Amino acid sequence: MRIFDAWHTENLPSATSATAFEVFASELVLRSYGLSLEEVKLGIVGGGQDGAIDSIYVFFDDALLDEDSEVVSESSKSSDFGQDRSLELWIVQAKRTAAFSEEAIDKLENSLRRLLDLSQPLDELSPLYNSDVLARIGIFRSTWEKVLTRRPRISVNVVYATPGDRKGVNPQVEAKMIALKQVILAAVPDADRISVDLLGDVELLARYNERPSYTLPMRYQESVTSGQSHIALVALKDYYDLIVDENGRLRRHLFEMNVRDYQGNVSVNQEIRKSLASVESPQFWWLNNGVTIICSDATSAGKTYSLSNIQIVNGLQTSHEIYDTLKVNPPEHIEDRMLLVRIIVTADTLTRDQVIRATNRQTTVTDASLRATDEVQRNIENYFLTKGWYYDRRKNFYKNDGRDTSKIVSISLVGAAITAMGLSRPDKSRGKPSSLLKNDDDYRSVFNSSIDLEIYFWAAKTQRQIDAFIVSEAADATVSQKSNLRFHLSMLVAEHLYGGRLRSPQQLRQLALEDASMSDEEVSALFEDLKHWSTQYLKTNGVILERATKAQRFSDFLLGRAAAYRSSIEKPPSS
């Protein structure tokens, strides 16, 4: 596929074509979920001992789960989560072969028979599968077991993608696909949906050309206009049509600027659900604050608004409850009930941020949820723009705008890079990928006005260099090393350039001003040291790499080794 070759060059030039195709195919499979490229890469598990699985993703309540997500935390319990929530497992097999292989499907069948069997402890499967496969499947299994009594709506989806011809698949492959589906059904008998699909070059191209629509119509019943903005009463069915695509899926991209994820079975959502379900309940819009839509233009004709560049910045909880209530056999009385919708027309980013903060202060929202609207975040974004880079404080904003994805970095990536390099805590970057910036103290330690903007840009560029190197053939890294050592390597790079351990991000200032860097050869030599030191640590402490990299003790051990090595080469020879 020529499109893949161009995508490979633009997005992952240092990665092998096999690795790049795994990311490419996974991004296309999950395109409707609006994942960033960084999120897609986190799910890649292909390599040695992968059991014919190249990527694994788990979604709960429409949110992508990671190892530190609340639902898999030991401190959470099943009663913390609502009933009938969605739990989705996605398995992708992506190979650059000319045709679909029966052998690959056989391997998938054997793997899923073992991996989805809750009676089989995952640690007993470690001789068969790499740690990334086990960790990602572990997220699904832990969530499944945690919420089992809450009657989750489970779906298991397997996609096998190649540049081959889907129409030319032989009957044996089709039979193997049916057998695979039966294996999954036996392992997950309570699943609401099981799908096993083949994607060939035609299907991949069609998905590549798909673009989420941000300009949509919305019918309304009554409206009031002030200037260019409006307040409208919208029937719940008409609002449902706005937020759901032609396949009945929630248009997640419309909520990318919302300050918080869906909160599940919290008391506010229980009340919303109750007022939707009850026939005796007063008009819905009397009891609900409604939703706020920001757009660049809103024109009305025949009681239908045409809304351009939509973002629903307040009302995610309400939207989810409406979606869940109306998507399957909604009660007759619901569809004609009204929702209050505020339509604010503005293209000014500062005004937009002020609206987001103001409308989300009406109910309890943690400061962590409002990070993207902070002044320091806007300043970082503007500084990156002066350098021709894009700081994606509003998720997927620049990706959807068609910008060079190799120069788009997220808040979470920059936060993890600063934590690893400026605070010498790669264990935090590795062990808390999704919650690192939710804690106020952690957030303020990496994002505050006392840290020069040049430092954020330098850290982002350096981390990108490390990430590109570690997946390249030159790194000769195992699957586990690729996923577990990227932030530890960036810590050692910063330590080497600085000449010692760093304890404050501001200490990176001189490196940023000088645009200090290491050549690929120097990074490669340092990575060889890192691999050697890691092997020593694992052998001495009897732990696996995945567990070691989440502990500060391992970070301190590496820094000690680096300091000792530097001291040995700087020490003058004895006479």
Side-chain angles (χ1 to χ4, degrees), residues 326-465:
L326 269 65
K327 68 180 177 181
V328 180
N329 300 320
E332 292 183 4
H333 71 277
I334 283 185
E335 296 189 356
D336 293 330
R337 286 189 171 180
M338 301 295 169
L339 174 71
L340 184 68
V341 179
R342 289 178 290 275
I343 303 168
I344 298 174
V345 179
T346 180
D348 181 69
T349 57
L350 181 58
T351 300
R352 181 169 50 209
D353 287 344
Q354 289 174 334
V355 171
I356 292 172
R357 277 189 170 272
T359 56
N360 283 282
R361 287 302 187 190
Q362 296 168 3
T363 54
T364 302
V365 181
T366 63
D367 286 337
S369 296
L370 291 164
R371 302 297 194 207
T373 64
D374 285 353
E375 182 179 6
V376 66
Q377 297 295 339
R378 293 197 301 270
N379 290 341
I380 295 171
E381 180 183 25
N382 291 333
Y383 185 82
F384 273 54
L385 288 172
T386 68
K387 300 294 185 179
W389 280 55
Y390 309 98
Y391 183 65
D392 214 31
R393 69 183 180 93
R394 296 155 294 174
K395 183 181 176 184
N396 286 333
F397 177 81
Y398 291 109
K399 175 185 173 183
N400 293 332
D401 199 36
R403 304 295 181 176
D404 181 355
T405 53
S406 67
K407 293 185 176 180
I408 299 174
V409 293
S410 66
I411 292 179
S412 58
L413 177 75
V414 173
I418 292 288
T419 300
M421 291 184 266
L423 296 173
S424 300
R425 292 297 306 274
D427 48 285
K428 276 191 169 184
S429 303
R430 172 64 186 93
K432 299 181 178 181
S434 63
S435 62
L436 180 65
L437 302 181
K438 293 180 181 178
N439 176 278
D440 284 345
D441 290 337
D442 287 338
Y443 176 80
R444 283 192 288 265
S445 68
V446 297
F447 290 111
N448 64 75
S449 58
S450 67
I451 300 174
D452 289 359
L453 297 175
E454 295 93 335
I455 292 172
Y456 295 108
F457 180 63
W458 179 84
K461 280 202 312 177
T462 302
Q463 189 62 55
R464 273 293 169 84
Q465 178 194 6

Side-chain angles (χ1 to χ4, degrees), residues 29-44:
V29 167
L30 299 172
R31 174 148 287 189
S32 64
Y33 291 83
L35 301 186
S36 66
L37 191 61
E38 291 166 15
E39 289 174 320
V40 174
K41 288 191 288 185
L42 287 175
I44 300 298

Side-chain angles (χ1 to χ4, degrees), residues 307-323:
L307 307 173
S308 302
N309 300 314
I310 302 171
Q311 273 296 296
I312 300 171
V313 298
N314 177 251
L316 179 62
Q317 312 307 312
T318 295
S319 298
H320 262 273
E321 294 302 335
I322 292 172
Y323 169 68

Side-chain angles (χ1 to χ4, degrees), residues 26 56 85 178 285 295 458 476 487:
S26 298
I56 301 173
R85 301 295 97 191
I178 295 172
W285 72 275
C295 58
W458 179 84
D476 191 26
F487 293 116

